[in-house]
Amino acid sequence: MMNTDVTEADRHIYETELRGFLPEKVLDAHAHLFDATCLVPDARFSEKSVYRKFGGLFPYEQMLAWAAALLPDQTFAVNAFGQPSFDTDLERAADYCGRIADNRRCFGMALVAPSDAVETVVDRVARNRLIGYKPYLNFVQGKPKSDITIFDMLPEAQMAAADERGLAITLHIPREERLADPVNQRQMVEICRRYPNATIIFAHIGRAYYLSNVTGFLDGIAACGNAYIDTAMVNHEGVLEYAFRHFPRERILFGSDAPIAFLRGKSVEVNNQYAYLMGEDYAIGSAIYDAAHAVRFTFFYYEQLRGIRTAAERAGLSRQEIENLFFNTAFHLFRSVAERNYGKN
């Protein structure tokens, strides 16, 4: 297992900014975990793939090592799914999540493609005692990426199965305008209302990394009791504060998007856009690498926690609400799905 690259400067951030803010328990609701068994034969990540930093893998043991290093005072839990690319064998990725998930400290979701037969999806989830699934736009074939819709990612049969079993779905919405896209706005509400027994977790606050992309666009799903959002890779204080003020706090989950969150960098708003300023030369989204090393970076993970702290203070979150955000809401949601489908253990 590779070591983390935590420095004294990183530890100082934890001691002075985060130790007194973070609750005793943290459940990361959005992490990509996988080992070598999850990859198709001859899978090779590009030279600038984030996974190069972690030896081409990111198994549960590495997640726990990073959590112990960055959150030394916290009891840690996680919700895991594989890395959504064609380098992944979806069956084996689900099997891996099933092996690590105990539905107490570690929960798991299956990756699904829209071409998967519903019987395959149900079996993939059930045999591994998983709490739901995660579609991804990469798995939609035969359509330009810019035209993909939520219902292309989640066909009716798969959603009906999730609704029947009361499963949870973590949804990375498509389309360039993300949360602000009118097609997404309509379909996000429609999918929640059409399948009220399924829980839909809109990842990355609907991929709204800059303020104009979230302002005015949470109302529809806020009115749907089965709609949740996670905070994965969002460190923008304004976006987080807006979510805390305009979305039910009891339906917001902390998530990191590990292992991307363990790169050094920060997401910044630039002219109604966002960019990842990077201290390491890896390719993620709109990355801008500081090749001159003009800036000293800490981890995206810590920048997310800093953003949450500032936004929570501005929005007036109580101590109980902070504990709910970081652990209680996700734990009770995921445990209820597991108990409904597999009984108490």
Side-chain angles (χ1 to χ4, degrees):
M1 184 190 308
M2 72 170 293
N3 295 325
T4 64
D5 58 343
V6 178
T7 67
E8 287 302 317
D10 299 319
R11 293 188 181 95
H12 182 73
I13 292 171
Y14 178 82
E15 293 295 332
T16 59
E17 300 182 44
L18 301 174
R19 180 192 288 275
F21 167 69
L22 291 172
E24 178 184 349
K25 297 178 180 180
V26 170
L27 197 167
D28 187 335
H30 189 131
H32 298 276
L33 308 185
F34 65 101
D35 70 3
T37 68
C38 302
L39 301 178
V40 299
D42 301 320
R44 295 185 184 279
F45 293 109
S46 68
E47 287 300 317
K48 292 190 177 183
S49 167
V50 56
Y51 296 109
R52 291 284 185 175
K53 176 171 180 173
F54 307 100
L57 304 170
F58 197 70
Y60 184 42
E61 293 79 9
Q62 280 203 51
M63 182 77 235
L64 293 181
W66 277 93
L70 270 64
L71 305 172
D73 297 326
Q74 277 65 46
T75 300
F76 181 78
V78 67
N79 177 47
F81 24 77
Q83 63 95 15
S85 79
F86 291 107
D87 291 315
T88 295
D89 182 309
L90 302 193
E91 294 296 340
R92 292 182 177 181
D95 292 345
Y96 177 75
C97 286
R99 290 198 299 275
I100 64 175
D102 62 2
N103 287 329
R104 287 189 178 276
R105 189 178 182 189
C106 181
F107 300 89
M109 289 180 166
L111 296 173
V112 297
S115 59
D116 291 334
V118 66
E119 297 82 7
T120 299
V121 170
V122 170
D123 177 70
R124 190 179 295 162
V125 170
R127 74 169 185 269
N128 292 299
R129 299 169 64 86
L130 304 179
I131 60 166
Y133 34 93
K134 187 177 194 298
Y136 202 69
L137 55 92
N138 282 5
F139 299 138
V140 178
Q141 299 185 47
K143 195 169 189 177
K145 187 175 180 179
S146 60
D147 294 339
I148 291 171
T149 71
I150 289 170
F151 288 113
D152 292 327
M153 297 168 64
L154 281 165
E156 183 177 357
Q158 291 182 11
M159 279 309 309
D163 191 60
E164 179 181 350
R165 291 160 179 79
L167 298 177
I169 292 169
T170 297
L171 179 58
H172 175 116
I173 62 173
R175 307 178 71 80
E176 292 181 2
E177 293 186 39
R178 295 111 182 270
L179 187 61
D181 184 278
V183 174
N184 279 342
Q185 281 282 299
R186 183 174 66 253
Q187 290 191 355
M188 289 166 74
V189 172
E190 185 178 349
I191 201 170
C192 290
R193 291 180 175 171
R194 189 185 298 180
Y195 306 104
N197 296 319
T199 297
I200 314 296
I201 303 165
F202 294 100
H204 318 290
I205 314 183
R207 300 174 68 211
Y209 301 114
Y210 53 96
L211 191 55
S212 65
N213 200 228
V214 71
T215 303
F217 298 117
L218 287 176
D219 294 352
I221 57 172
C224 301
N226 59 332
Y228 287 66
I229 56 176
D230 78 31
T231 66
M233 278 301 282
V234 180
N235 62 231
H236 191 302
E237 296 96 334
V239 172
L240 290 160
E241 180 184 357
Y242 187 88
F244 293 156
R245 292 186 183 277
H246 295 273
F247 194 85
R249 295 173 183 177
E250 67 274 13
R251 291 192 267 126
I252 304 177
L253 314 178
F254 167 70
S256 74
D257 209 8
I260 291 174
F262 301 132
L263 297 178
R264 292 183 180 275
K266 181 178 173 66
S267 177
V268 298
E269 178 169 344
V270 182
N271 191 27
N272 292 321
Q273 305 159 92
Y274 79 98
Y276 295 122
L277 296 187
M278 301 285 294
E280 301 175 83
D281 193 12
Y282 294 104
I284 59 167
S286 54
I288 300 174
Y289 173 50
D290 176 21
H293 304 293
V295 177
R296 290 189 300 273
F297 290 91
T298 189
F299 306 107
F300 281 105
Y301 201 97
Y302 274 177
E303 294 293 5
Q304 292 177 61
L305 295 177
R306 282 170 152 171
I308 290 171
R309 176 181 177 174
T310 299
E313 290 172 349
R314 290 177 181 172
L317 268 66
S318 69
R319 194 63 194 169
Q320 184 63 60
E321 287 172 327
I322 291 169
E323 291 175 1
N324 292 344
L325 167 69
F326 279 104
F327 185 84
N328 295 332
T329 299
F331 183 78
H332 293 307
L333 170 63
F334 297 157
R335 277 294 297 169
S336 67
V337 174
E339 290 181 2
R340 184 183 307 119
N341 284 275
Y342 314 116
K344 296 184 178 181
N345 60 347

